[in-house]
């Protein structure tokens, strides 16, 4: 099997950094060596097929994005990245594993939904992938099917307290699903927003002629997120289910999570780059020649962007430092402006919800290191190590240690990345715009290795669709 040595780099893990060489044998990390590539007098560098010099660069585990929606049918259209384009973009940005969401729609059997997602992903991915299971119809049949998910390598399911008539579960359904979660160890993932109340507020705004994209965020007020987060926590407490709240954006929701964790509950939360960097005020101010104030549709996602003035962004960064929020995923759910987002021209309720970020998560969070928001080690922890541990991939993913998959990123802290659409910019996602236009990052993804294969190097795509394989997951390593 081909052997590669990454030498002279600074290996960064969630617990520290050190000058070390990394030996890859085939698809696996064989050894982490003291610098100099000599092992008891044996010349390692002279006995490998390839040597990569990482002098002055960070050598980190490949990113694990635990929340993506390739090809998700939503709002009368489907997310514009499929598994091929989305995973290629992920690789460009230093993410080497995604966990996407298979969907059981209303009236459908859980395993039929799962089979559809396997069919869409198999042979298409540039990097490894796994699935969570969305349960869009909690009933006796799906509750029984959920108990068999661990045998399929799926150790988590997602419920929605939002989107009545689409993915929504009521409290009785949530309670029953959480009982299965407690019995099996399956992680309950929750989209925590009070959907029925939001729909009333949204209808009232639309009837009053307030139809611009900005009103999406007004209808989805932070109280709707706090209330639902609290309700999910209480139902989890009652049933003893482990709970992971997705895309947390409101500071009050973080307070709920912190409170539950302090009470000893197995409750976790993720936030997303958009809640760390983008704001409702910017969405309100958005306008372009082409779209007018509909420009704000680029940033319509749920949970919505929050007011910076109210301190939500600040709270999100703080929660990453205090571990009240444990990790950062993207909720990658891209839609083009033309032909997709524009379905909501004149009515914000019809704008498909979602932002494309799978390519930029590692860079955007690295900028948090440069800006003094998080440490270098915490960057690795919240983007790779914790996602792998949270969702039963640890040992293989999210870590640089012997026996782990050789998923490695060589990151240049002296490089630069201009995020955005157009020449000289980074964009590889299948979208006609970037929600991140103009973001500049003081670092650069130089080389990406996925299970031993270099898939991106020096701004060249060396990967291929089908390189990525389905990964079966075990139960969360955070459960006690
Ligand atoms: N939020 C989004 O922004 N898009 C898809 C689904 C979701 O919950
Ligand atoms: Zn969601
Ligand atoms: Zn999502």
């Amino acid at each position: 099997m081909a052997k590669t040595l990454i030498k002279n780099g600074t290996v960064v893990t969630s617990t520290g950094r050190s000058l070390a060489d990394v030996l890859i044998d085939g698809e696996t990390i064989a050894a982490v060596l003291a610098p100099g590539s000599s092992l008891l007098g044996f010349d390692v560098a002279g006995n490998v097929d390839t040597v990569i010099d990482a002098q002055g660069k960070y050598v980190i585990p490949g990113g694990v994005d635990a929340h993506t929606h390739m090809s998700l049918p939503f709002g009368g259209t489907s997310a514009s990245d499929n598994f091929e384009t989305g995973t290629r973009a992920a690789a460009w940005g230093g993410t080497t594993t995604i966990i996407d969401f298979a969907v059981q729609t209303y009236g459908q059997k859980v395993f039929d939904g799962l089979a559809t997602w396997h069919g869409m992903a198999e042979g298409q991915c540039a990097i490894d992938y796994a699935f969570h299971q969305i349960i869009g119809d909690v009933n006796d049949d799906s509750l029984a099917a959920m108990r068999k998910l661990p045998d399929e390598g799926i150790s988590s399911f997602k419920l929605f307290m939002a989107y009545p008539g689409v993915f929504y579960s009521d409290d009785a359904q949530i309670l029953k699903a959480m009982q299965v979660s407690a019995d099996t160890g399956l992680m309950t993932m929750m989209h925590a927003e009070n959907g029925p109340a939001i729909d009333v507020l949204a209808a009232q705004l639309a009837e009053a002629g307030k139809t611009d994209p900005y009103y999406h965020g007004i209808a989805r007020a932070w109280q709707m997120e706090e209330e639902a987060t609290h309700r999910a926590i209480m139902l989890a407490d009652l049933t003893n289910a482990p709970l992971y709240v997705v895309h947390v954006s409101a500071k009050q929701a973080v307070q709920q999570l912190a409170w539950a964790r302090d009470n000893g509950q197995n409750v976790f939360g993720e936030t997303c780059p958009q809640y760390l960097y983008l704001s409702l005020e910017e969405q309100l101010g958005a306008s372009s020649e082409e779209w007018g104030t509909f420009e704000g549709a680029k940033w319509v996602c749920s949970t919505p962007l929050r007011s910076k003035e109210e301190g939500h962004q600040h709270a999100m960064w703080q929660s990453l430092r205090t571990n009240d929020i444990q990790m950062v995923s993207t909720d990658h759910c891209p839609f083009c402006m033309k032909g997709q987002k524009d379905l909501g021209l004149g009515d914000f309720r019809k704008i498909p919800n979602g932002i494309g970020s799978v390519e930029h998560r590692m860079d955007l969070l690295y900028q948090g290191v440069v800006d003094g928001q998080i440490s270098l080690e915490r960057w690795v922890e919240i983007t790779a190590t914790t996602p792998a541990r949270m969702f039963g991939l640890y040992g293989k993913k999210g870590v640089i240690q012997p026996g782990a998959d050789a998923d490695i990123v060589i990151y240049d802290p002296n490089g630069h990345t201009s995020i955005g659409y157009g020449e000289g910019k980074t964009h590889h996602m299948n979208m006609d715009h970037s929600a991140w236009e103009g973001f500049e990052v003081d670092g650069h993804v130089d080389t990406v290795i996925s299970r031993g294969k270099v898939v991106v190097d020096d701004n060249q795509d060396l990967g291929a669709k089908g390189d990525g394989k389905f990964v079966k997951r075990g139960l969360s390593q955070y459960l006690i």
Side-chain angles (χ1 to χ4, degrees):
M1 270 193 291
K3 292 184 178 52
T4 302
L5 185 74
I6 304 171
K7 65 171 194 176
N8 300 328
T10 300
V11 173
V12 184
T13 69
S14 61
T15 52
R17 63 190 92 168
S18 58
L19 290 174
D21 296 346
V22 180
L23 177 64
I24 299 170
D25 187 4
E27 298 189 348
T28 309
I29 296 172
V32 181
L33 306 161
S37 15
S38 149
L39 191 56
L40 299 177
F42 178 75
D43 173 22
V44 180
N47 285 280
V48 297
D49 304 282
T50 311
V51 175
I52 300 174
D53 191 352
Q55 178 86 44
K57 298 177 187 171
Y58 298 134
V59 179
I60 62 168
V64 179
D65 189 342
H67 190 156
T68 66
H69 295 289
M70 306 305 171
S71 294
L72 178 74
F74 191 92
T77 183
S78 293
S80 57
D81 265 321
N82 58 27
F83 280 92
E84 182 187 352
T85 62
T87 56
R88 197 191 312 135
W92 272 107
T95 284
T96 52
T97 308
I98 59 162
I99 314 181
D100 203 87
F101 287 82
V103 180
Q104 176 224 14
T105 53
Y106 190 78
Q108 191 186 34
K109 288 200 175 300
V110 171
F111 279 79
D112 288 348
L114 178 57
T116 301
W117 253 257
H118 273 300
M120 288 199 294
E122 200 178 348
Q124 301 299 309
C125 295
I127 54 165
D128 285 354
Y129 63 99
F131 291 135
H132 312 285
Q133 180 69 50
I134 286 175
I135 305 292
D137 187 2
V138 179
N139 56 39
D140 288 346
D141 189 68
S142 49
L143 289 165
M146 284 160 67
R147 293 182 182 275
K148 297 185 192 138
L149 285 173
D151 299 338
E152 302 296 317
I154 292 169
S155 54
S156 44
F157 63 88
K158 182 179 178 189
L159 303 176
F160 288 78
M161 301 168 97
Y163 305 127
V166 190
F167 295 130
Y168 176 74
S169 292
D170 65 24
D171 290 350
Q173 290 173 309
I174 292 169
L175 184 85
K176 287 181 189 172
M178 282 185 170
Q179 286 169 338
V180 173
S181 168
D183 274 3
T184 57
L186 285 165
M187 180 72 80
T188 302
M189 303 175 79
M190 190 63 78
H191 178 130
E193 284 185 299
N194 186 327
I198 285 169
D199 282 5
V200 170
L201 293 172
Q204 289 170 350
L205 287 163
E207 273 157 32
K210 296 178 173 174
T211 57
D212 267 356
Y214 165 76
Y215 292 102
H216 170 85
I218 301 301
R220 306 185 92 89
W222 60 260
Q223 290 90 341
M224 303 288 98
E225 187 182 344
E226 182 184 10
E227 185 278 328
T229 304
H230 181 74
R231 190 155 30 102
I233 286 168
M234 296 318 292
L235 291 168
D237 192 29
L238 186 70
T239 53
N240 209 22
L243 173 67
Y244 175 96
V245 181
V246 295
H247 48 56
V248 176
S249 60
K251 68 177 177 190
Q252 295 83 357
V254 176
Q255 286 159 3
Q256 291 294 324
L257 296 175
W259 170 77
R261 288 171 61 75
D262 288 349
N263 286 343
Q265 267 185 262
N266 271 331
V267 168
F268 311 97
E270 74 176 12
T271 191
C272 311
Q274 52 269 36
Y275 311 121
L276 294 163
Y277 284 106
L278 305 173
S279 72
L280 190 60
E281 287 88 353
E282 285 162 303
Q283 191 179 29
L284 175 64
S287 181
S288 68
E289 231 172 79
E290 189 179 8
W291 296 104
T293 52
F294 190 71
E295 180 79 2
K298 291 179 178 174
W299 300 282
V300 163
C301 57
S302 294
T303 56
L305 302 188
R306 301 270 174 220
S307 162
K308 192 173 177 180
E309 268 170 37
E310 288 175 4
H312 300 286
Q313 252 181 44
H314 174 78
M316 290 304 131
W317 281 114
Q318 180 171 295
S319 69
L320 287 174
R321 290 189 292 274
T322 58
N323 206 38
D324 290 329
I325 294 282
Q326 291 76 41
M327 51 186 267
V328 178
S329 317
T330 54
D331 196 10
H332 177 76
C333 194
F335 296 100
C336 292
M337 283 294 273
K338 286 204 181 81
Q340 296 199 293
K341 291 270 186 188
D342 61 5
L343 292 169
L345 268 167
D347 187 348
F348 69 85
R349 293 173 296 175
K350 298 194 177 128
I351 302 169
N353 292 192
I355 286 184
S357 313
V358 77
E359 188 171 349
H360 306 313
R361 186 184 62 123
M362 300 301 286
D363 281 321
L364 288 168
L365 270 293
Y366 180 70
Q367 191 58 38
V369 177
V370 175
D371 295 344
Q373 295 281 11
I374 51 172
S375 70
L376 195 58
E377 289 77 8
R378 185 65 174 158
W379 172 51
V380 170
E381 188 168 30
I382 63 180
T383 57
T385 311
T386 298
R389 290 191 67 204
M390 187 67 72
F391 291 113
L393 290 166
Y394 192 75
K396 287 283 175 200
K397 307 293 187 189
V399 66
I400 293 184
Q401 68 183 22
D405 286 350
D407 291 356
I408 294 173
V409 173
I410 301 175
Y411 199 86
D412 184 359
N414 297 309
H416 189 84
T417 303
S418 296
I419 300 184
Y421 195 78
E423 214 167 309
K425 304 280 186 78
T426 49
H427 198 93
H428 296 88
M429 300 176 285
N430 185 34
M431 300 168 72
D432 61 3
H433 67 279
S434 170
W436 299 99
E437 197 63 54
F439 274 75
E440 301 287 332
V441 175
D442 298 316
H444 186 259
V445 172
D446 274 12
T447 306
V448 181
I449 301 172
S450 171
R451 261 190 297 102
K453 177 177 173 179
V454 176
V455 292
V456 174
D457 188 42
D458 197 16
N459 298 313
Q460 284 182 69
D461 183 356
L462 304 173
K465 79 173 187 175
D467 282 347
K469 300 274 180 292
F470 176 67
V471 188
K472 287 190 164 197
R473 297 186 291 115
L475 293 180
S476 172
Q477 274 136 333
Y478 278 89
L479 300 189
I480 44 168

